[in-house]
Amino acid sequence: MTERCGALGVLLCLILLSSSQALSKRRTPIMGWSSWSVYSCNVHEDGIKVQAQALSDLGLWDLGYTYIDVDDCWMAFNRSAEGLQQANASTFPSGMAALAEWLHARGFKLGLYSDAGTTTCQNRAGSYGYEAVDAATYASWGVDLLKYDTCNTVPGWDPEEGYPIMGKALNNTGRDIWYMMCNWGQGDPATWAGPRALANSWRTTNDLMPLFPQFYEVADANERWWEYARPGQFNDPDTLAMGYLFADPPVTAPATGNTLSYAETRLYFGLWCIMKSNLILSVDFASSEWPRWILDIVSNRHAIAINQDALALQGHRLWSDGEGGNNTDPRAVHVPAGLREVWSGPLVDGDVALLLVNRGESIATINATFTLHGPHCPKDVNVSVYDVWGQRVFGECASHFAMRVAPHDGILLRCSCARPATRPARKGKDRGDHAFVTQ
Ligand code: GAL
């Protein structure tokens, strides 16, 4: 970069170098597995290996679920005599470098957790004042992701100043490390971490409860910031905590077993896919009790393709039957929630993802009227509507269709212009202004 600056100014370059954050080069949301809702603070090395092996055996690794994120409690209460972060000797006796090696040998990536305070939320050693040394330690172990929490910060600590310290320290290691801010949406991080490219993702809410309507309320809070997300930088509404039984004792959620129905689970997954959220499963695959149908949902290649779409732009609510929700302007920033909703997001080649949602308690018909504008899709050409869950073409229609949606369910669709064979592939650049949906 300095070479390209030329005479115009080494100074300008230095400013750019010191303020810009390279972070992970990955453009699409990460996919993987997290220990938190499965093991909480009882996380251990053997458990991580068993879960990773299960992801491989279940075909989830093949689908892209490759980041294994070891959350809080992997570390000792205190640093080593040299002031270094160290693994908890009884639960991770082989150490984190060995775990990284084990995971890398199987094609996985290792994520670790730390905290911007003096101690983590579970009172283990935090990174405050040790950012550079910790980043270097993580890089030397082969870490690929850092989730960085906000418990026990020193008085006056400012996230807008504190988060970049670790971000720069990670960048200085030269390793590609996905930087996942976790300050629970305090101070609206999308508005400052997004524009300043301070992280690859930032949590927008408190911890998710895998219950209906709680997970939907988290989605609402995350949707609000859709316009701030862009490739490599995403709003993070927390993990996909599905069908889990919390380790004893529960830390953030009641141990109620499987808390979501099939419909609710695919609605949850559909929202995360269309919002370009990280797809981090927090499912106890080692237990015999997780419902096997979860796999049908989280393995759906068409849903994953929507989440991993190369445009990497967040979808959002476009219409609802809530008060003020009947807005047909596709560029509308905020459409209020309702009982029936249509969410939409732009995809490559001018395709559009739609999620037809019924938040109510009885079956509802949702009408979608849409236009795929643009030279790639002439007005007289029909649009093909693909039913993602059913994995079949729902139909071809000029501009309108209606679907009946069960209570608490979300029907995920992909609309594509029926392409003439000669039409050249298009590199989409537009920002979601090519479809609208009304009731
Ligand atoms: C919370 C965070 C959770 C989990 C937990 C660990 O602050 O939101 O996702 O990481 O800390 O203690």
Side-chain angles (χ1 to χ4, degrees):
M1 179 171 177
T2 353
E3 269 171 31
R4 279 202 245 131
C5 286
L8 248 191
V10 172
L11 180 62
L12 177 65
C13 264
L14 285 177
I15 292 169
L16 285 173
L17 278 171
S18 62
S19 62
S20 69
Q21 301 279 304
L23 307 170
S24 170
K25 305 281 184 299
R26 185 183 167 109
R27 285 174 53 88
T28 58
I30 53 169
M31 298 171 62
W33 178 91
S34 159
S35 64
W36 184 244
S37 297
V38 176
Y39 293 119
S40 62
C41 216
N42 300 322
V43 63
H44 52 95
E45 182 178 306
D46 292 344
I48 296 296
K49 291 181 178 174
V50 167
Q51 301 285 347
Q53 188 59 50
L55 260 78
S56 285
D57 297 345
L58 294 167
L60 292 165
W61 178 87
D62 297 301
L63 291 165
Y65 292 95
T66 54
Y67 284 80
I68 302 291
D69 183 18
V70 186
D71 209 283
D72 205 347
C73 305
W74 62 265
M75 69 287 270
F77 282 95
N78 299 306
R79 291 174 174 272
S80 70
E82 297 76 36
L84 299 177
Q85 190 68 277
Q86 53 186 349
N88 181 315
S90 56
T91 50
F92 287 87
S94 314
M96 305 324 269
L99 183 61
E101 200 178 317
W102 189 93
L103 288 168
H104 290 162
R106 288 155 182 81
F108 286 103
K109 294 177 181 297
L110 172 63
L112 287 186
Y113 166 103
S114 189
D115 189 289
T118 49
T119 53
T120 72
C121 299
Q122 307 302 321
N123 299 316
R124 272 58 179 180
S127 287
Y128 180 73
Y130 291 91
E131 292 86 353
V133 71
D134 285 0
T137 303
Y138 301 148
S140 75
W141 288 345
V143 166
D144 307 291
L145 174 162
L146 181 70
K147 173 172 171 180
Y148 205 45
D149 214 336
T150 325
C151 281
N152 305 318
T153 52
V154 297
W157 184 83
D158 177 354
E160 294 192 38
E161 288 167 19
Y163 269 104
I165 296 174
M166 181 52 98
K168 282 180 189 153
L170 292 173
N171 277 341
N172 287 342
T173 68
R175 192 172 168 82
D176 190 284
I177 299 178
W178 184 274
Y179 186 33
M180 185 186 253
M181 278 175 41
C182 178
N183 82 329
W184 322 299
Q186 286 179 1
D188 302 337
T191 62
W192 45 269
R196 287 169 62 200
L198 296 183
N200 293 113
S201 58
W202 47 85
R203 277 275 295 277
T204 50
T205 68
N206 259 323
D207 289 9
L208 179 144
M209 297 278 276
L211 300 165
F212 188 93
Q214 283 89 339
F215 77 79
Y216 211 112
E217 288 160 2
V218 165
D220 285 342
N222 191 70
E223 189 263 2
R224 185 165 166 223
W225 307 110
W226 67 270
E227 59 194 323
Y228 290 92
R230 60 179 185 279
Q233 281 151 353
F234 301 101
N235 294 302
D236 174 9
D238 209 355
T239 59
L240 294 161
M242 295 171 169
Y244 73 88
L245 295 165
F246 239 102
D248 190 33
V251 175
T252 55
T256 49
N258 179 37
T259 52
L260 298 174
S261 69
Y262 186 94
E264 289 163 348
T265 304
R266 74 181 186 181
L267 169 58
Y268 184 178
F269 194 63
L271 285 163
W272 263 235
C273 286
I274 206 165
M275 287 198 296
K276 304 291 188 288
S277 309
N278 294 328
L279 299 182
I280 307 288
L281 303 165
S282 208
V283 179
D284 186 358
F285 290 117
S287 119
S288 56
E289 299 179 47
W290 63 276
R292 295 305 185 264
W293 48 256
I294 285 178
L295 204 54
D296 297 346
I297 297 169
V298 303
S299 301
N300 186 300
R301 287 174 189 276
H302 302 279
I304 292 172
I306 288 172
N307 176 263
Q308 293 292 306
D309 182 83
L311 274 190
L313 295 174
Q314 181 174 334
H316 60 106
R317 187 162 35 231
L318 207 53
W319 175 88
S320 85
D321 63 0
E323 199 178 332
N326 198 4
N327 190 334
T328 57
D329 180 354
R331 285 149 302 190
V333 174
H334 299 301
V335 171
L339 284 182
R340 291 173 302 156
E341 299 180 347
V342 179
W343 293 51
S344 159
L347 303 172
V348 287
D349 285 336
D351 286 10
V352 169
L354 293 180
L355 185 66
L356 275 49
V357 181
N358 179 3
R359 295 170 80 151
E361 302 304 325
S362 52
I363 196 160
T365 299
I366 298 181
N367 295 308
T369 303
F370 57 89
T371 303
L372 301 184
H373 295 305
H376 59 283
C377 194
K379 283 211 164 70
D380 53 348
V381 168
N382 274 359
V383 167
S384 130
V385 181
Y386 190 81
D387 170 6
V388 168
W389 302 138
Q391 307 204 35
R392 66 191 168 96
V393 175
F394 170 71
E396 287 225 338
C397 45
S399 63
H400 177 266
F401 65 92
M403 280 190 119
R404 284 170 57 81
V405 185
H408 298 192
D409 201 358
I411 304 296
L412 188 58
L413 303 165
R414 183 178 189 120
C415 301
S416 316
C417 184
R419 299 183 176 89
T422 52
R423 186 172 71 80
R426 210 176 66 91
K427 284 207 176 84
K429 256 194 158 178
D430 23 6
R431 165 99 235 188
D433 57 355
H434 48 299
F436 69 83
V437 183
T438 64
Q439 189 62 13

